Amino acid sequence: MILRDKILAQLAAKRENFRAFAGELRDESEVFRRALEQLATLSRTELESRLHGAETPGALPTEEFDAASSLCLPFAHVWNNHAEARAWAYEALLNHTTLAVDGSQIPPHSGFNIPVAAVQVAWFENHHTPAGSFVKDIEMEILAPNDLKSDHDRERTEQKINARRFELETGKLCERMEQLAANRNSQSALPLALFDSSLVISFADRLQGNMRERHVNAMLKLLQCSEATGIPLIGYVDSSDARDLTKMLSLAFGFPEARQLHDAELVSPLLDWGARTPLFICKRGSADQKQISVLEEFESQGQSVGFVYLKTGSQAPPARLEIPMWIYRQGLLNQVLDVIRAEVIVGNGYPYAIETADAAAVISTRDREAFYALFQQFAEQENIKLRVSQKAASKARRRYS
């Protein structure tokens, strides 16, 4: 229950704080807009010269930079209505398999004296054949006390569950990519694997020890799997708060880094639907200056990651697409981006494969309660002394009696 009048009163009391933030964002945006105008006058060589000596300048230009006037590579097609767009998407997707995986999890019940949790992954593999062939399936893994052991530290327990979910998601993508590669022949249309998040996983730099290592190793294996199988992998970030381009601009033109402005907001006014920025190589550093960054670890294993911003809706900022650089080197980037545009059309603004995998992976509140009830039944059958707190029992009575 929320109290509308009290919320509005609190918001009104802090109106000046909100106004100040909006004003800072507006001023910062103006500084970076002027920098974009100056950037349009530079060649790739001139920009690289300005960034020379910076180990982590945020981003480095590729050969596409010189072909992108004002950081925009337009999309060639224009349609009069959505029916025309869907017809184009049908042809663009025909016989191209698109694959997406998503996950969800059930944490340990705070009212149980014995910890149990679960992680679930769902995948959707759409072959886009005229007959409509696809695969949609789910796997779940139970996490027992030994899998969750963390000295009764709830945060560390949650990190273990997150790490296992991440390993299952990336592992399932890799497994399906290997299966697709095994079934391909020289006449097969190019498949595409979609990861519903960042490939750069900078969040891992904030993790300690084994947790960081598990995330980095899982993503590195996925990147290597993509290149080994020849199946493009794209990290799709719908609402990105990355600041790689703003850092590049601040270094190139000598002013402070952005505090509020994100790359997606910066480039959004430059792009119409389907248009994109040129490809940049991601050169983000670690938040911990004493530690090698995730990207540096990837690069030490021959895996570098680039990114583009692709406009996928008329109102929202563009999506950030993170792209292993082998895709660009092999001349597959434009073909891959057309498949993504088509997926977005079919999904009405979001890639249909990711949307479908997400819907299959979701665990509802009722699903969680059913899981806990099944564990209680299991414990009783196996003569395991499970204690349930009075608070948990009371909640269950109120919700399900």
Side-chain angles (χ1 to χ4, degrees):
M1 178 180 180
I2 62 173
L3 301 176
R4 179 178 181 275
D5 291 344
K6 290 189 175 183
I7 292 172
L8 289 174
Q10 285 282 313
L11 290 171
K14 298 186 178 182
R15 64 167 61 89
E16 292 308 317
N17 190 304
F18 290 113
R19 285 174 175 166
F21 184 93
E24 289 175 16
L25 177 58
R26 183 176 58 250
D27 294 344
E28 198 170 70
S29 297
E30 183 57 33
V31 170
F32 280 89
R33 298 270 186 266
R34 290 198 297 268
L36 282 180
E37 293 174 4
Q38 292 177 269
L39 186 68
T41 69
L42 299 182
S43 68
R44 177 193 176 200
T45 302
E46 289 169 330
L47 176 56
E48 288 176 332
S49 177
R50 288 180 178 235
L51 301 174
H52 181 70
E55 291 186 6
T56 55
L60 287 175
T62 65
E63 291 88 345
E64 288 193 334
F65 181 81
D66 287 331
S69 176
S70 298
L71 283 194
C72 177
L73 291 171
F75 182 51
H77 298 275
V78 178
W79 304 292
N80 295 313
N81 51 56
H82 196 63
E84 291 181 2
R86 290 182 71 87
W88 176 87
Y90 176 85
E91 294 298 330
L93 288 170
L94 190 61
N95 296 318
H96 288 273
T97 296
T98 54
L99 165 68
V101 172
D102 203 0
S104 53
Q105 60 205 57
I106 301 175
H109 196 303
S110 60
F112 290 177
N113 67 320
I114 298 175
V116 61
V119 289
Q120 177 171 281
V121 292
W123 62 98
F124 179 62
E125 190 175 301
N126 194 340
H127 302 296
H128 292 290
T129 61
S133 172
F134 67 89
V135 176
K136 183 165 63 172
D137 210 343
I138 291 173
E139 282 185 11
M140 176 177 276
E141 181 176 302
I142 304 297
L143 302 181
N146 279 348
D147 304 311
L148 301 168
K149 193 180 297 181
S150 58
D151 301 323
H152 306 290
D153 183 328
R154 179 172 291 185
E155 182 179 356
R156 289 180 60 81
T157 297
E158 185 178 352
Q159 286 182 3
K160 285 195 169 188
I161 298 170
N162 290 342
R164 188 61 191 136
R165 169 179 165 177
F166 191 80
E167 289 168 340
L168 287 179
E169 288 177 352
T170 55
K172 179 56 67 175
L173 259 179
C174 192
E175 174 193 307
R176 299 310 304 167
M177 288 160 70
E178 289 172 341
Q179 187 65 46
L180 285 172
N183 293 333
R184 286 189 73 198
N185 58 52
S186 60
Q187 305 303 313
S188 299
L190 186 70
L192 175 64
L194 292 164
F195 184 71
D196 188 21
S197 190
S198 171
L199 302 181
V200 177
I201 61 168
S202 291
F203 69 85
D205 281 333
R206 298 190 294 273
L207 302 176
Q208 300 299 315
N210 180 250
M211 292 297 100
R212 182 184 189 278
E213 183 181 348
R214 286 175 66 177
H215 282 87
V216 170
N217 287 344
M219 181 52 70
L220 183 56
K221 287 177 183 176
L222 181 59
L223 292 170
Q224 291 169 335
C225 180
S226 172
E227 184 168 14
T229 59
I231 295 179
L233 167 73
I234 299 294
Y236 192 95
V237 187
D238 183 57
S239 299
S240 171
D241 59 3
R243 292 195 175 101
D244 299 322
L245 291 180
T246 58
K247 181 173 183 180
M248 182 192 77
L249 287 169
S250 69
L251 287 173
F253 297 106
F255 50 77
E257 291 185 31
R259 296 176 59 214
Q260 274 94 355
L261 183 66
H262 300 143
D263 292 350
E265 297 168 311
L266 174 67
V267 302
S268 186
L270 309 175
L271 306 174
D272 294 323
W273 193 97
R276 67 174 178 94
T277 64
L279 179 71
F280 287 87
I281 303 169
C282 192
K283 286 289 182 180
R284 187 185 304 168
S286 172
D288 183 352
Q289 299 299 321
K290 299 177 183 178
Q291 179 175 257
I292 183 174
S293 71
V294 166
L295 278 172
E296 289 173 302
E297 288 200 43
F298 291 168
E299 288 170 0
S300 71
Q301 298 294 318
Q303 298 296 321
S304 54
V305 179
F307 65 91
V308 305
Y309 285 91
L310 175 70
K311 191 74 167 176
T312 57
S314 58
Q315 303 299 322
R320 177 183 169 104
L321 276 54
E322 296 186 349
I323 302 160
M325 288 301 293
W326 74 264
I327 296 171
Y328 176 63
R329 291 193 297 266
Q330 292 195 17
L332 300 174
L333 181 58
N334 286 327
Q335 184 179 356
V336 165
L337 292 176
D338 270 352
V339 171
I340 293 174
R341 290 183 181 102
E343 276 279 327
V344 168
I345 291 170
V346 175
N348 292 316
Y350 198 71
Y352 181 74
I354 297 178
E355 189 176 61
T356 307
D358 172 75
V362 166
I363 296 175
S364 68
T365 300
R366 185 167 290 275
D367 292 334
R368 287 186 174 88
E369 296 299 334
F371 173 81
Y372 296 139
L374 286 170
F375 181 65
Q376 288 178 271
Q377 292 176 21
F378 166 79
E380 185 177 341
Q381 291 168 2
E382 299 297 324
N383 292 317
I384 297 170
K385 294 187 181 300
L386 176 68
R387 292 196 306 274
V388 182
S389 72
Q390 288 300 312
K391 181 178 180 180
S394 174
K395 280 186 177 180
R397 286 194 299 271
R398 289 198 308 272
R399 291 175 180 173
Y400 301 106
S401 59

